[in-house]
Each structure stands twice: as structure tokens, then as C-alpha cells.
Amino acid sequence: WGRRQQVNAAASIQHCHAWMERLGWIANFDSVARGTTADRAARGWQFADSEIYKLLEAIAWQLGHAPTPELEDLYDDLVTRVVAAQDDDGYLNTRFGHAGQRPRYGDLEEGHELYCTGHLLQAAVARVRTRGEDALVTAARRAADQVCAEFGPSGRAGLCGHPEIETALAELGRALDEPRYLEQAALFVERRGHGTLRPIPLLSSAYFQDDVPLREAHTWSGHAVRALYLAAGAVDVASERGDTELLDAVARQWDAVVARRTYLTGGMGSRHQDEGFGEDFELPADRAYCETCAGVGAVMVSWRLYLQTGDVKYADLVERVLFNVVAVSPRADGRAFFYSNPLHQRSAGSDVEADAENPRAEGGVRAPWFDVSCCPTNVARTLASWQSYAVAVEPGGVTLLQYAAGEVDVELEQGRLRLQVDTSYPDDSTVTVTVLETPPAAGALRVRVPRWSDTATLGRPGASPHPVEPGIAVALPTMGAGDTVTLTLPLTPRLTWPDPRIDAVRGTVAVEVGPLVHCLESLELPTDLALDDVQVDATAGPRSAVDGHGVEVRLLGPAHGGPSDSAHPMPYLPTPPPPVTDDAERADWVRLTPYHRWAERGPTAMRVFLPVRPTT
Amino acid sequence: WGRRQQVNAAASIQHCHAWMERLGWIANFDSVARGTTADRAARGWQFADSEIYKLLEAIAWQLGHAPTPELEDLYDDLVTRVVAAQDDDGYLNTRFGHAGQRPRYGDLEEGHELYCTGHLLQAAVARVRTRGEDALVTAARRAADQVCAEFGPSGRAGLCGHPEIETALAELGRALDEPRYLEQAALFVERRGHGTLRPIPLLSSAYFQDDVPLREAHTWSGHAVRALYLAAGAVDVASERGDTELLDAVARQWDAVVARRTYLTGGMGSRHQDEGFGEDFELPADRAYCETCAGVGAVMVSWRLYLQTGDVKYADLVERVLFNVVAVSPRADGRAFFYSNPLHQRSAGSDVEADAENPRAEGGVRAPWFDVSCCPTNVARTLASWQSYAVAVEPGGVTLLQYAAGEVDVELEQGRLRLQVDTSYPDDSTVTVTVLETPPAAGALRVRVPRWSDTATLGRPGASPHPVEPGIAVALPTMGAGDTVTLTLPLTPRLTWPDPRIDAVRGTVAVEVGPLVHCLESLELPTDLALDDVQVDATAGPRSAVDGHGVEVRLLGPAHGGPSDSAHPMPYLPTPPPPVTDDAERADWVRLTPYHRWAERGPTAMRVFLPVRPTT
């Protein structure tokens, strides 16, 4: 993750900035500041402002732990241009309410005004948490005040088609100790679900979660990112107000979605049509939408639920999503991204233009920028704040939840605590933690043992390691300077079987190694075997590759009974498909790819779930 | 089919008329005629005109074989109102080119102007074929002339985002013996596929088949109805011009699509997002779009290919689609319709408003009308012209291709031929044909033996029946008045296995009886068994129900290993799902429903493909 943060800071942030400058999205702010909106139509979609705010949030987090002069300058320049566009009463949006534009809050369903404001507030939260008040924070405060005045208890009873303002107001209220913002967030959460918003043509109220109050919903449906952002805001509200009913509702929804509407990668969103959740067990691998931004949303909700409950299952999902949804998106150089993250690519794609805005590239090639380009900046802000999800300070000690090499440096009530973490997880199985500095009575060091790890051990120097169960394990009952402990999470490749109710992957198996879902890329196959025809030998299990690099599975012969012919022009036959014979000539072993690295070697077909020979 | 035609004439046609009057779609024509378009915005979508034309086509066909005074009056009234809206130069469209409207042909990508004109022409063709020239035909002729003048070889090189004008011009040219129309159709076919149309946001040129010239395409992709209408027009053009290269291209595309992109029902279109074809073997049962209109398009293309080639596979598909796509749509009373026709409904729906325009109802309830309401009128015109697909006059005789009770009455070159067909197929297995009247040397009577029927026989009175192979069989080598022959197509229930490359239905089996795909409705299940958990015993096969009504399969116990728990919050497990034990207590037999009748008894979950216990 350290390397990913470096690439993010050194490449992705500049890349996003350059594209938004090129496309005139940042100049939209200049246009408002100069009063030239009547002559210049705002560029990009109606939510383009939010991309600048998400970029500012990414820079703010990055400056908090690894500042550079270039990033400082970029931050200052962007803040100056953004702040200059703020109206006198605090309203800040580049495409509503000025000369030649629609009136403020003139399209709550699709205008994304409060959504954009929400991202402004989250950028300010990142700044408060890392540096303190500045011009951006002041602007956010004024914008939040304007929202409260406009939509408060005595204002208009409106809400935004795209949730985001809820969690943003709650976070800003917490960061600035301003209870009015939290009250406004609660109001937005409660107002939703009563059919206030006019449905968008061909979609229903469920698309923006305005069909059922969140408090009463059993699961999440509609647009996945919207549902997840709303749920995150609801947990914020519930935790600040001690509203256990609301907290329980979201926790129940999380259980339902993770049990029946979530992909093996942790990806959410089964449908392209509305970028939405499907029904229970509607989890097609090929048409998995699994938007990168929904991964960000899933991390946001799960992290908040972990903090409220301490239940390790939430931190387990955070790890799964970070490795298998968020990390999949950026190319190794940080200058191209996946928008959707299917688990099966039927044909090797080539639908991306290297120097253009792309539609939501679906051909298995990462694109430099998108027409709707929400994902690149969302990845940037998530990677820049990765450390926020790694450690929790809890009563009686500190818990390490995610693993990467680096130094933990936190100010506890009792004083400063510094931990050194040495690991190359998940490429290596050991995580060694050394206490560099600790105040007295800092309590225990606890570590998360992932659910998949049933042979984990904890060891101190000079003592033999002892097994630990999945969950939260005490690594050091009390922390003392110089103490060292090693968590070992053996990375034995393992098979994972889908619930038979998931029709789309019945009769298949997946391979996982540690936290990494793996996949089979067609470019690894013998030239005479198409990915469509692959069947693997589950009884042989996966094995470490003979050359020591990666994991292999054993291939059986083609799985189908030959192409359609004139007697059977359709792919439906009067007899069962012939069993695949285990032909020793045919039986090759084939190398798998960690899913987050797929398509790095060029266009390829790919599948995570591998058909197996039926067994009794 | 006779009963369906009666319901169509007595209910559906009036139903469609009443809805379009209520919504002001027909009044759009009055508005143009009165010159009041500046004061009254046209109602409905930009393709609303086409619905009136499709209704007129349905009425014209119906008047051809079963006229009633009410339908005559309705036809005359609609024609009067439509014709009154025609401009002096022949242009006829209610939402372009008049006061307060966009200019003519101002939005070829999405405006649907030529598409609407095409349906006007097809309505006129129905009239020419059944009655001859009238005011509608004259209007169509003038409209076609205007199109030729505007888009001809020396006119603008445009084309319509939605194909339809191609087949319409070719049909009208054939019906009126006007080669200019055919030339214009050919021009539109050749012009397509060169990226002329500006892509619609978030879609690509493939959406409207403007990415690859039809002549070079290997398969169909993009919006299914558009692809099928275009292919139908191409066959028309190819056959009139003797263009075997173009004909071969469409035939090759048909083979590819039927082998890899077609559902068991004959339904086409795997994706909701663009109402489009998916990739090869991307055939999810639950998200099958299988738009009713795509069924109409598949019949149009297949019928044209049959007439050009005489290959029975095309007529087999026509039967499959008519019974399992087109016939599924209308409710038994003809006053509600399915828009999409999935093969798996996960949860019983209730998303339809009984007296409102509905979005594309996806919850398994037929809706009275839709926001985009292309399907009801398309069903109406197809049912009203069903007889067109039933009989082919070919060199050396006549071929019966589809079976229903009634009288065949055709004028051959040699004179009048009348056949009596007695059957209640597909409820009964026998089709008896009696020659009522025949001219001398009328040739042979041939009958189609469907591909699924491997025990068919032909029998004459007083002789023992002899087996016939699937294909076209000679029933009577020469027809003589009074001759009788009986085709027997035993309706033994049979299992059908999907190609293993169709991931979405791996490990399942379907049940068919004659031409009818069957399905399992949840309302047939024991109350303690959810449709998600069903597994059937394929080794026991399907059987006729004990009470003589319908077909049953044997249920095994629940197929899953129990709900997710805290140890496994996700539906992915470290061990294979436990095999279903054959519990004699549990083993019920359950009745299936012919797919075209599903959801007739109220909202229900449903699946066509039934999971089976894996066998070695």
C-alpha cells in the first residue's frame, strides 16, 4: 500500500488535475468568479465540481503524511480558485444560480448540487484532520451553513438525488464540533424514503433510495454508490446521536447485502442499467458492475460499522474490497483506471482511447479518463487516506486491522505511541510489529486475523509461535518499548465454492491466496484452448507454481460437446453435455493472476470462477 | 392461434387505441392538421407516431381476414386523422418540422423520424395486400417519395438511428411495384456501418449498428430490435436484387446469433442497459431482456430467410419465438402485456399499476401500457398477420409451416386451393389436413416436422402411419379434393440441456413439451421450499401429471447448505456445497407451467432452467 500511495501522489493526483484542467472543469470555478457564466457554458457533467473536491481531499490527506512542495502549491492554487467562486451567502456551485444558469436547487433529482457540496465538506474534513482550519475549511463551513439555512427544519423539505451530503455534514460537524451540521445530516437521512423525488424516466424511486425509509429497509437496492454513501451517513448520524435503531438497521442491511448481493471480490452492484444492486443471488460474473466507487462506498460503511461495533467481519470486508476492488482500478503507473470491475471478461477488449474521455470502458482495458469520471478521484482520495483504515485506537489498547510496512504514530490519551510494522504482506505471510515508543499503560496490541486464515500463528522472539483463531487476537497483552511480535498468516492457495443459489457461477470454483482473489487470463492458456472451454480439476487443487511465481490449477480438456451444427442450431441439446475426460495429454497446469493485476499485460479474456467437472 | 387472433381483434386493438387516445398520441396528428403545434407540445416519446401506424397495420391485417364494422370504422377514422397531418410535400411526422418544433430530420440519431415513416409504410403494405389502394396507401406513397427525394443518391447521406425504413421501403416497393423504393432501401442498408451517426452518450455506434457494415458483420450486436429490423430489410434488399453476398452475410449472422446469443425461448437481447445483444454465451436467465419486439423482429428475419432458402431451421425458430416470446406477452384478456420476457423471476413482483403508464415492468406482472409502449402494438400486428407465416406457396406445391385450426385459402397460378386444418396443437399431437378444393396439378402438400419431434408420423385413412424425420415432409405427393392426411407429433415431455458454455445456466435442465418451453412457478411449490432452493431429479425425467393436466418433475431437497452465518458472512465457502440427499419424504413431484402462460395466476417467482443434482 505504501507503493500505491507513492504512485497515487506522484502520478494519479497530477493525472487527474491535468485532465480536469484540460477539460475545463476547473475553469468552471474561474468562470463563476469572473461572472462570465452567461458567456461560457459549464464544462462536463453536472457533478464535475465534485471531482475537484475529491482531488482536493486526496491532496489534503497526502499532505498530512507525505507533503511535497509541488502538492502544497497545487492544493493552494486549487483552493484559491474554488473559494473565489463562492457566493456571498456561502452557496458554491459552478452550474446553478448564476447568470445564464438554472436557479439554485433547481433540479434536486439530477442536479447533484448537495452531492457536490458534500464532497467540498469532505475535502475540508481531510484538511481539518491533517492541518487545521484554512480557506477551504472556511468555505466549507460557509457552504454548510447555507445548506442548513436552505434545507433546515424551517427551510425547504428537499433532498439530493445522490446521497453524500449526509456523511459529509456529519463528518464536518464532528471535525468542527458543530452540532447543527449533524442535525442537518439527520434530517436528510430521515427525509429520504418517502417518494419526495420525482423518479427519473425509466427508473424508479429505488434508484435513489427514496422508496423506503432507511430505518425500515431490509437490504440495499438501487444505485449502489448512492445506497452505500447514504448508509455511511446514517451510521455517522446513528453513532453521534446514540440511535441504536438506525445503527441496527444499517447493520442488518450490511448483513443481508454481504450474504446475498456481494461478489467474491467484495464488489457490489450487479447491474449496468442503473449501476445498481441486483436481487438476492443475482451476481453475474460477466456483467458484474462492481463500480470502483461502490468499493469506496463499501469501505466507508464497513469502517464506520467496525468502529461502532468492533466486529471483525467489517474489517475483513474492508481488506477484501481494498485489495480486490479499489486496488484493481488504477494501472500500475497510476494513469489509467477501471470504472467497473467484472469477474469475467468474455472477450479481450480494445475499446479504450489512450488520450480521450472514454465511456465506461467495459472491454478490460483501463482508461485514462471517463466521460463520467468519478472513479479516478475516488481512488485517489481512498489511497491517500489508506492509513485511516489500518489502525484503531480502542479502549484498552490499539488494534492493527490492515497490514503494510511503515510506522504507526498515534497520540493516545496517555502519550505518544509508535509502532514499526515490517512486512511485504500479502506477498509474504509474516507481519512483524515492534514497539518503538509507548507511554505507560498504553494497553494491549491487538491484531486482526483474517477470516480466511485458519492456520495463523503469533510468535515472540525466543518463544515458539502459538496458533490463533480468526478474529481479533491479542499480540501483546501490554506494550513495552522494544517488544516485538510476529503474526504469520500462511498463504496457502485455497479453493472457494460459491453458494449454489448464485446461478451465474454454479458448478465453478475460485482460487484465493491470502486476501487476493485470483483469476485465469486467456493469455496464459495453451493456444488451442479458448477460455470459454476451460474446465479445471478441482480434485487436484491449486498449487504453487513450479517456478515459484504464483499459483496454478490443473486444466482438463474442453468442456463443451463441439460447436452447434445444422442438426442443433441452438445451444440447447437433448442430452447432457458429455463428461470431460481426464486426458493426460491435455492436462496442463496453468498459472493464475491476482485479480487486482489482471489486464496489466494487455487485453485478455479473464474469469475468476472456473468451471469444474461435476462431482457426486 | 385463432383464439389469440380473436382476443387481439376484440380486445387488444381497442385497448391500444383507447390508451393512445387517452394519452394524446393520436391527437398529435390533429394538432399538426390544425396548425396548433406551437401551442401544444406533442405527447409521448418521439416515436409515438409509430404506435398509431403499427395499430393501423394490425387493423388492416385483421380486416383482411375477419372484418367487423367496428374495425372498419376505427380504421377509417384513424386514417382520416393521420392523412390530415401530412405536409404538402409528403412529409408526415407530428413532432418535427412544424411551428414550435425542431426542423425536419433534425435529430437522425434519436428522432426516429424515418423509423416512424417506415411503420406508416408497413401499415400501407398490409392494406395493399388485403384490400388495395386507399387514402393511407396514397399517403404512404407520398411519404416514401419524400424520403427518396430527401435521402436519395443526390440527397443528404443520412440514416435513421432506428432501422425500420429499410424493410418498409422494400416491402412497399414490392407491393406497389415501385423500384425506386427498393433502391432507396438498398442505399440505407449500404450507408449504415460507417460511423455516420453521432453516438448517444454512454452508448457506442454498435448500439444502432453503425459500427460495421452489415455485409461484413459476423454477428448481431447492439440494440436487438434495431439489429433485427435492419437484417430483415437487408434480406428484402438482397432477395429483390439477387445480392447473394448480402443474403449470405445475414444468414451467417443468423447462424451465429442462434448458436450463441439466443435463449431457449427464441428470445434475443441479454442486456437491459442498451436493450441489446450480449456477447456470445452471455445469456443470463434472470436478466434476459428478450424484448417482445425483438421476438417480432426475429420472426421477420427468420421468415424472410426461410422464403429465400427453404431451410426449415428458420421456420422452426419462427415457431419457437411465436409460442415462447410473442405469445408470452399478452395477458389472456389481451389488455396487458409483458415488455421483457426473462426466463427467471427471482421474486414475485407487484410493480405494475393497473391504470397507468408503466416503466418496463420487470416484476413479472403484465402491464396495461408502458411509458415506451412499443410492444402492445407490435404484438397486435403480429397476431393479426399470423396466417402469413403459416403457409408457403413454393415450386411444386404448398408447405404448411405453422399449425392451427382453420382454413387455408390461396390463389395459386393454377387456381384456387382450399385446405381444412383440424388440430388443437400444441395441446394435442395431431394435425389433420383435408383438401377441400384444388386446381389441377397443384402439386404436393408438404408439412414441417419440427426439429424436436423425433417420433413424428404421417398417416392416411386406411393406411398405417409411417415415421417421418424432422424437416419438410411430403404429406401428399399430389393434392386431390377430399384427400386427408394426419401429421402426428407426439408431445412427450423432454429434458433439454444447455451448452456448458452458457455460464448462467450451468448445471440445470429445462423441460419442453412439443414447441412449448415450460417453467416452474413458485406458487406450485410446497410452502417450505423456496424457488432459490429447488433442485430437481433429472434421472427421474419429466412425466405427465397424475391428474392428466400438464407435466411434472421430481423435486429433491433444498440445494443449499443453509443460510450464511457469522462464520461465513459471504456466500462463498471453503468446501463444496453438500450434495442434496434424495430424501423420500421430501421428494414431491411438482407441476410445471407452459412458459407462455406464466404469471397468469398472479405474481410468482419463476424459473425455466431447473438446477439438477450433479451427475458423473
Side-chain angles (χ1 to χ4, degrees), chain A residues 447-489:
Chain A
V447 293
R448 181 179 63 91
V449 179
R451 160 63 45 202
W452 52 261
S453 184
D454 51 7
T455 55
T457 60
L458 272 170
R460 302 283 306 273
S464 51
H466 63 277
V468 282
E469 295 289 309
I472 303 291
V474 174
L476 296 170
T478 58
M479 290 186 278
D483 286 352
T484 290
V485 62
T486 296
L487 172 66
T488 302
L489 301 167

Side-chain angles (χ1 to χ4, degrees), chain A residues 114-155:
Chain A
L114 290 166
Y115 168 84
C116 288
T117 305
H119 278 299
L120 169 66
L121 272 47
Q122 284 199 311
V125 169
R127 190 62 170 179
V128 174
R129 295 291 186 203
T130 51
R131 292 281 177 91
E133 289 238 16
D134 73 349
L136 180 73
V137 178
T138 303
R141 194 192 284 272
R142 294 177 60 213
D145 288 341
Q146 200 277 329
V147 169
C148 292
E150 184 92 21
F151 293 94
S154 56

Side-chain angles (χ1 to χ4, degrees), chain A residues 232-316:
Chain A
V235 179
D236 286 332
V237 166
S239 59
E240 293 295 323
R241 293 158 64 107
D243 185 340
T244 54
E245 184 194 79
L246 184 58
L247 182 68
D248 289 349
V250 177
R252 188 178 66 230
Q253 293 154 15
W254 188 97
D255 284 343
V257 164
V258 170
R260 296 189 282 278
R261 299 187 174 188
T262 301
Y263 286 92
L264 180 63
T265 54
M268 296 182 188
S270 307
R271 297 181 178 180
H272 281 59
Q273 187 185 25
D274 58 355
E275 308 187 283
F277 286 103
E279 292 196 80
D280 287 352
F281 304 113
E282 179 192 322
L283 292 164
D286 49 0
R287 293 293 284 170
Y289 197 63
C290 293
E291 186 182 337
T292 304
C293 292
V296 171
V299 169
M300 286 165 56
V301 181
S302 302
W303 174 243
R304 284 161 172 76
L305 286 170
Y306 174 79
L307 292 181
Q308 290 310 305
T309 65
D311 193 329
V312 70
K313 68 185 177 186
Y314 300 118
D316 279 343

Side-chain angles (χ1 to χ4, degrees), chain A residues 45 201-202 254-255 258-260 262-264 266 271-273 279-283 286-287 313 317 320 344-347 359-360 362 371-372 451 495-508 532-533 559-564 566-577 579 607 609 611 614-616, chain B residues 45 201-202 254-255 258-260 262-264 266 271-273 279-283 286-287 313 317 320 344-347 359-360 362 371-372 451 495-508 532-533 559-564 566-577 579 607 609 611 614-616:
Chain A
W45 287 88
L202 304 182
W254 188 97
D255 284 343
V258 170
R260 296 189 282 278
T262 301
Y263 286 92
L264 180 63
R271 297 181 178 180
H272 281 59
Q273 187 185 25
E279 292 196 80
D280 287 352
F281 304 113
E282 179 192 322
L283 292 164
D286 49 0
R287 293 293 284 170
K313 68 185 177 186
L317 192 79
R320 184 173 288 273
H344 182 184
Q345 182 76 33
R346 289 187 181 272
S347 54
R360 297 163 191 158
E362 292 176 5
D371 176 29
V372 172
R451 160 63 45 202
L495 294 177
T496 299
W497 305 80
D499 187 303
R501 290 171 292 184
I502 308 174
D503 294 276
V505 292
R506 184 179 290 111
T508 68
D532 271 342
D533 299 333
H560 67 94
S564 305
S566 60
H568 296 103
M570 301 185 79
Y572 309 101
L573 303 167
T575 52
R607 56 186 307 156
F609 286 99
T615 51
T616 36
Chain B
W45 286 89
L202 303 182
W254 188 97
D255 284 343
V258 170
R260 294 189 284 276
T262 301
Y263 286 93
L264 180 63
R271 297 182 178 179
H272 282 57
Q273 186 184 26
E279 292 196 78
D280 287 351
F281 304 113
E282 180 192 321
L283 293 163
D286 50 359
R287 293 293 284 170
K313 68 184 176 186
L317 192 79
R320 185 173 287 272
H344 182 184
Q345 182 78 32
R346 289 187 181 272
S347 54
R360 297 161 191 159
E362 292 175 3
D371 176 29
V372 173
R451 159 64 43 203
L495 294 177
T496 298
W497 305 80
D499 186 304
R501 290 171 292 184
I502 308 174
D503 295 275
V505 292
R506 184 179 292 112
T508 68
D532 271 342
D533 299 333
H560 67 93
S564 305
S566 61
H568 296 104
M570 300 186 79
Y572 309 101
L573 303 167
T575 52
R607 55 186 308 155
F609 286 98
T615 52
T616 36

Side-chain angles (χ1 to χ4, degrees), chain B residues 154-233:
Chain B
S154 56
R156 73 163 88 183
L159 64 161
C160 183
H162 198 314
E164 159 64 21
I165 188 70
E166 298 81 2
T167 189
L169 280 167
E171 283 192 29
L172 189 69
R174 200 185 285 139
L176 298 179
D177 199 16
E178 176 49 82
R180 279 187 304 121
Y181 300 163
L182 180 75
E183 292 308 309
Q184 185 64 44
L187 205 53
F188 279 132
V189 169
E190 299 302 336
R191 225 173 244 173
R192 206 172 198 89
H194 303 283
T196 307
L197 297 167
R198 186 177 25 86
I200 295 172
L202 303 182
L203 295 170
S204 72
S205 295
Y207 174 68
F208 31 44
Q209 296 76 46
D210 196 28
D211 55 335
V212 180
L214 188 70
R215 208 177 275 280
E216 297 167 19
H218 297 293
T219 188
W220 295 324
S221 59
H223 191 278
V225 176
R226 296 176 200 234
L228 290 161
Y229 283 13
L230 176 64

Side-chain angles (χ1 to χ4, degrees), chain B residues 418-492:
Chain B
R418 290 196 306 125
L419 306 174
Q420 172 74 31
V421 182
D422 294 301
T423 184
S424 50
Y425 177 87
D427 295 333
D428 185 48
S429 60
T430 61
V431 180
T432 298
V433 186
T434 306
V435 180
L436 298 178
E437 177 181 347
T438 179
L445 174 67
R446 289 173 296 206
V447 293
R448 181 179 63 92
V449 179
R451 159 64 43 203
W452 52 261
S453 184
D454 51 8
T455 55
T457 60
L458 273 170
R460 303 283 305 272
S464 51
H466 64 277
V468 283
E469 295 289 309
I472 302 291
V474 175
L476 296 171
T478 58
M479 290 185 279
D483 286 350
T484 289
V485 62
T486 295
L487 172 66
T488 303
L489 301 168
L491 300 173
T492 313

